[in-house]
Amino acid sequence: MTAPASSSAIPVPKAGSWPLFGWFTLAFMVFSQWYAIATSPADRDMGDLQKILYVHVPASWIMSITFALVFVYSLLYLWKGKDSYDLLAASSAEVGATFVGLTLVQGMIWGKPTWGVWWTWDARLTSTLVLFLVFVGYLALRAFIDEPQRRGQWSAAVGVLGSINVPIVWMSVRWWRTLHQMQSTPQTMDPTYRNGLLINFLAFTLLAVYLIRRRYEAAMIARAAEMTSQAAALGGH
Amino acid sequence: MTRVRQQGGDNWRRIRAIAWKDLTTERRSKAGFNAVVSLGITILVLFGFALGPDAQVLRDAAPGALWLAVLFAGVLAFNRSYQVELDTGALEPLLLYPGARWTIFTGKLLANMLFVGLLLVIVVIAGMVLFAVKVPDAWPTVIAVLALGAIGLVTLGTFYASMASRSRAREVLLPLLLFPMLVPVLLAAMQASKALIGADMMLEAGAWIKMLIAYDIIFVLATHLAFEHVIEA
Amino acid sequence: MTHPTDDVFAIEAQSIARRFGARWILRGVSLHVRPGEVVGLLGSNGCGKSTLLRMLATLLKPTAGSAAIYGHDVVTEADEVRRNIGFLAHTPGLYDDLSARENLEFAAEMLGGGHEDIDALIERVNLSHVRHERVRGFSAGMQRRLALGRLMLTKARVLLFDEPYSNLDTDGIRLMNSIISEAARDGGAALVVLHELAPAAGLLDRTVTIRDGRVADPTAALLAEAALASTAGAASTASTASTASAASAASISVVA
């Protein structure tokens, strides 16, 4: 009759070489931003305003990655029930919400000089805002629920449904109104811009991976600390 | 084979029992439905004030105003549907009956469909009067659009309420989760209604209707699959 | 339906544990109840009795350890477990706007059974005079009787009762006891969470005390049983003094 209530119930992930990875990512980001800005000529219509492309487009790319991660980790949690999947989904959502917020702000900064208004009900801007609100709902749900198992199950369900909805929101808003310029994908772009964009896609992906990983470590450590203090308070193992 | 049929019969009995129970308790506490309908009509009137007395503006805005009125009023119904279980701790006995638990969701879904369906009928009639909308020629298609939109609304509303009603701050959590998810339904239903009332662009309405059908199928399936995980936690 | 054999426990819990967040409510409890046994579950408020009962009833999943009802695992064979258990919670879990009879009809539908027994059951729990009245107007004791009637519809063999005597009058207590002993006699079993032993006098085969999320040491359990025996002897005086607290007071003096 041994109590399984030991503090080691949660394996705390090791930081390992992740801090090093962080420094590398920082250096790489500085380089890739410099490279992109230095090598691209000023745009014919937009001038230097075009440079925001190198943070705006990669940031919105991170949004798609994090939605996919929330979907996968939520399904894994529902299937396997392991705490780590829940916290990974949550960390991805937090990082995702941050990047979506950034994308929106950048879009507005770009929109003001381009369209003359801070906000326009353009298809991509609008659907990004809606998806941002889906993320906010997910994070609000987590904040409102104290019991971790319930929080895990519920937010996983919300995460899966929210991710399923991403393409539908995208399409419906697009149908509703399309006056955005053609999507900025590397194929439709002048090669002088393309390399700068590609290298920044990579840099931002590394950044997202780094942030999610560190956020996840912090969440696991917080949970383990909670358990240890509780075990100590009860005078258990 | 007979066992499968037996199980199907049992599931159907459970679905029917849940729907009957929800509707009976709702009917006996009449205050609920009347209040929700009154709220829906009040919202319509407020939209009328917000949009001004110009008849053409009102007519153009009618589909949007109608759907938002149904949405805001309907949200109250979804939390109520679980409140019945939570008030006296009836959810636990419900979970203890052996058999498939998705039947609980289906039963509540049917009851809420009827509830919101009635609400929709009343609000639409009120809206047509208040906003001076004529009965469109394509009225059968309009009804189909209303029904498809209601299915999407009620499916996700009933699902998210199963969580929100059992959390702190349920009044704010349900709309916060539900409204962004419903953007495609609202857009589709509003645009299709608008196109049909304008008595033109049958093609445009058709695309939106297809989207509504796809949305309904996807989320009816997804919510049924997810319900077991949500209700047990 | 499976039939119990001699070597299958009606209730079997192996180091079952549960935490809520970082708080361990139950820290590893093992418990074996044979068919035919009626076991009282004692312990102070918040010690984890109700949590244990709810895990056995499949309403909560154990964080660690396992439990089985007639050999059916409460997690992997939850549906089979639900066919065998009858769980009575603190709250009656009835629908206020349905009548007594409608509440039972609803339960019968959910169980996939017929409606033939319902009137007899209402008679048995002594609610015939209000069968068509809405539950909203019922007293707490009447609601508990009706909940008991609903439980009998399930034909459960293992009874898991959480403080079943609260709000019941003498008749109600007698009814409750007869239902528990009938279940035990028919090869079922019962695990009853109690705050005071008096109403269950003469019913319990033994008691188990939970303290700090574990089964209290056997000395305390023995003392509790001794207290139980003395209560059983003194039952005719109808003392309502809490023997459970007397037992725990005794065990504290032993530790000191």
Side-chain angles (χ1 to χ4, degrees):
Chain A
M1 259 222 290
T2 51
S6 63
S7 54
S8 61
I10 285 199
V12 179
K14 297 272 188 302
S17 47
W18 282 97
L20 202 66
F21 181 86
W23 287 112
F24 172 75
T25 303
L26 180 68
F28 187 66
M29 280 206 75
V30 170
F31 167 75
S32 51
Q33 284 291 312
W34 168 81
Y35 173 85
I37 291 170
T39 57
S40 60
D43 187 83
R44 185 160 32 86
D45 304 319
M46 292 187 267
D48 283 336
L49 185 61
Q50 170 269 336
K51 309 287 194 234
I52 202 171
L53 188 79
Y54 301 120
V55 282
H56 181 59
V57 179
S60 68
W61 152 249
I62 297 307
M63 176 175 85
S64 328
I65 294 188
T66 48
F67 263 117
L69 286 177
V70 170
F71 180 70
V72 170
Y73 284 129
S74 296
L75 274 185
L76 278 173
Y77 180 75
L78 288 180
W79 185 25
K80 303 264 187 190
K82 269 167 63 180
D83 278 356
S84 50
Y85 292 131
D86 175 43
L87 294 178
L88 275 168
S91 306
S92 306
E94 282 174 12
V95 172
T98 312
F99 274 97
V100 178
L102 269 177
T103 309
L104 282 172
V105 171
Q106 291 160 356
M108 287 161 80
I109 292 174
W110 183 81
K112 179 64 179 165
T114 311
W115 294 325
V117 283
W118 288 111
W119 184 263
T120 172
W121 292 91
D122 141 79
R124 266 204 288 163
L125 220 45
T126 309
S127 49
T128 305
L129 178 61
V130 172
L131 296 179
F132 179 64
L133 294 175
V134 172
F135 263 135
V136 168
Y138 174 91
L139 293 174
L141 177 80
R142 293 189 69 88
F144 276 128
I145 297 162
D146 301 321
E147 215 278 288
Q149 200 189 345
R150 171 177 280 198
R151 182 169 57 210
Q153 303 258 79
W154 288 9
S155 58
V158 169
V160 170
L161 290 193
S163 310
I164 294 177
N165 211 11
V166 171
I168 309 179
V169 168
W170 202 258
M171 249 178 50
S172 63
V173 176
R174 207 185 162 83
W175 282 2
W176 178 62
R177 170 153 300 175
T178 312
L179 50 84
H180 200 283
Q181 61 175 190
M182 280 296 287
Q183 207 156 344
S184 311
T185 49
Q187 290 80 26
T188 63
M189 196 169 285
D190 192 285
T192 43
Y193 299 117
R194 191 176 60 197
N195 290 344
L197 199 54
L198 280 177
I199 197 171
N200 274 297
F201 269 127
L202 184 60
F204 270 70
T205 309
L206 291 181
L207 178 65
V209 168
Y210 174 73
L211 290 176
I212 291 171
R213 167 71 198 186
R214 298 297 274 183
R215 188 69 196 84
Y216 161 70
E217 275 172 33
M220 287 294 267
I221 288 167
R223 190 165 286 190
E226 228 183 319
M227 313 261 291
T228 313
S229 68
Q230 179 67 24
L234 283 172
H237 302 261
Chain B
M1 194 60 206
T2 49
R3 190 186 156 82
V4 171
R5 197 173 305 149
Q6 164 80 30
Q7 224 157 38
D10 280 355
N11 285 341
W12 175 236
R13 270 183 80 172
R14 290 157 57 89
I15 292 169
R16 223 176 34 189
I18 298 261
W20 171 84
K21 183 265 300 168
D22 274 13
L23 288 170
T24 308
T25 49
E26 195 57 62
R27 191 167 49 84
R28 288 184 183 167
S29 60
K30 289 186 194 71
F33 184 73
N34 295 347
V36 167
V37 169
S38 309
L39 177 68
I41 292 175
T42 308
I43 293 172
L44 278 184
V45 173
L46 294 183
F47 267 115
F49 290 143
L51 297 167
D54 182 66
Q56 190 54 45
V57 173
L58 281 179
R59 215 174 336 228
D60 288 346
L66 281 176
W67 275 105
L68 288 185
V70 170
L71 181 63
F72 289 138
V75 163
L76 299 178
F78 303 137
N79 269 335
R80 286 176 56 82
S81 137
Y82 291 92
Q83 207 54 47
V84 180
E85 315 291 346
L86 298 171
D87 279 346
T88 53
L91 187 63
E92 286 190 350
L94 209 52
L95 294 179
L96 282 172
Y97 294 116
R101 282 170 168 179
W102 56 261
T103 53
I104 300 172
F105 182 67
T106 318
K108 288 200 169 294
L109 198 60
L110 290 182
N112 284 342
M113 269 310 292
L114 206 68
F115 188 98
V116 172
L118 271 177
L119 170 73
L120 192 63
V121 168
I122 296 174
V123 169
V124 164
I125 292 173
M128 288 178 80
V129 173
L130 285 173
F131 291 24
V133 178
K134 288 191 200 71
V135 178
D137 296 335
W139 61 267
T141 324
V142 174
I143 290 175
V145 169
L146 292 177
L148 288 171
I151 290 173
L153 168 69
V154 174
T155 303
L156 282 183
T158 308
F159 181 74
Y160 282 112
S162 73
M163 293 180 264
S165 63
R166 289 188 287 153
S167 74
R168 288 183 281 137
R170 61 169 164 269
E171 291 82 5
V172 59
L173 193 54
L174 180 58
L176 191 60
L177 289 173
L178 183 59
F179 290 177
M181 288 294 286
L182 285 176
V183 164
V185 176
L186 291 176
L187 283 181
M190 286 176 198
Q191 296 301 310
S193 307
K194 200 178 273 179
L196 290 165
I197 288 176
D200 61 349
M201 295 182 289
M202 273 307 287
L203 281 172
E204 194 189 328
W208 286 114
I209 289 170
K210 273 182 205 143
M211 212 214 82
L212 271 178
I213 293 173
Y215 185 97
D216 287 353
I217 291 174
I218 289 171
F219 282 106
V220 165
L221 286 177
T223 49
H224 271 87
L225 289 173
F227 186 72
E228 171 90 7
H229 296 286
V230 165
I231 201 70
E232 74 177 6
Chain C
M1 281 290 158
T2 49
H3 286 281
T5 52
D6 287 340
D7 55 331
V8 173
F9 287 105
I11 304 171
E12 182 180 21
Q14 295 283 4
S15 305
I16 196 167
R18 169 75 198 197
R19 66 161 200 263
F20 289 95
R23 241 167 81 72
W24 284 93
I25 299 295
L26 220 54
R27 300 159 68 83
V29 165
S30 294
L31 182 75
H32 297 87
V33 179
R34 289 195 173 74
E37 266 191 315
V38 178
V39 176
L41 202 54
L42 306 175
S44 51
N45 290 325
C47 72
K49 304 177 304 262
S50 298
T51 304
L52 174 60
L53 222 55
R54 290 158 59 79
M55 284 196 290
L56 293 174
T58 74
L59 286 170
L60 274 178
K61 279 193 181 143
T63 314
S66 65
I69 303 289
Y70 283 117
H72 299 293
D73 187 275
V74 294
V75 177
T76 56
E77 297 170 277
D79 210 52
E80 197 53 44
V81 169
R82 286 180 206 127
R83 281 178 218 286
N84 281 293
I85 54 150
F87 176 70
L88 205 58
H90 292 262
T91 47
L94 301 161
Y95 297 105
D96 283 345
D97 283 314
L98 298 185
S99 72
R101 191 164 202 287
E102 284 168 335
N103 263 291
L104 294 194
E105 282 170 2
F106 172 71
E109 286 295 312
M110 291 302 285
L111 289 162
H115 293 197
E116 310 79 40
D117 313 336
I118 290 176
D119 281 320
L121 273 178
I122 292 179
E123 183 77 49
R124 171 114 202 248
V125 296
N126 206 8
L127 290 172
S128 295
H129 55 299
V130 288
R131 80 176 69 181
H132 292 302
E133 283 176 32
R134 292 198 201 163
V135 169
R136 189 176 291 285
F138 283 19
S139 72
M142 288 160 82
Q143 295 201 10
R144 188 161 283 273
R145 283 162 185 267
L146 189 56
L148 199 55
R150 180 185 58 201
L151 185 127
M152 284 190 282
L153 267 179
T154 64
K155 303 189 170 64
R157 294 190 299 154
V158 172
L159 305 182
L160 304 167
F161 285 4
D162 199 350
E163 293 174 42
Y165 300 108
S166 49
N167 297 321
L168 282 182
D169 56 14
T170 347
D171 273 354
I173 292 173
R174 206 173 298 139
L175 172 70
M176 182 69 70
N177 285 346
S178 71
I179 286 166
I180 294 174
S181 49
E182 271 170 36
R185 201 185 51 217
D186 297 343
L191 188 60
V192 186
V193 168
L194 294 168
H195 265 292
E196 38 183 26
L197 286 167
L203 183 71
L204 304 182
D205 294 306
R206 63 191 167 97
T207 64
V208 171
T209 306
I210 308 274
R211 187 177 306 126
D212 289 339
R214 290 199 176 86
V215 173
D217 70 281
T219 328
L222 275 177
L223 278 165
E225 275 188 57
L228 170 70
S230 67
T231 324
S236 54
T237 63
S239 151
T240 50
S242 167
T243 29
S245 66
S248 59
S251 68
I252 287 166
S253 67
V254 167
V255 172

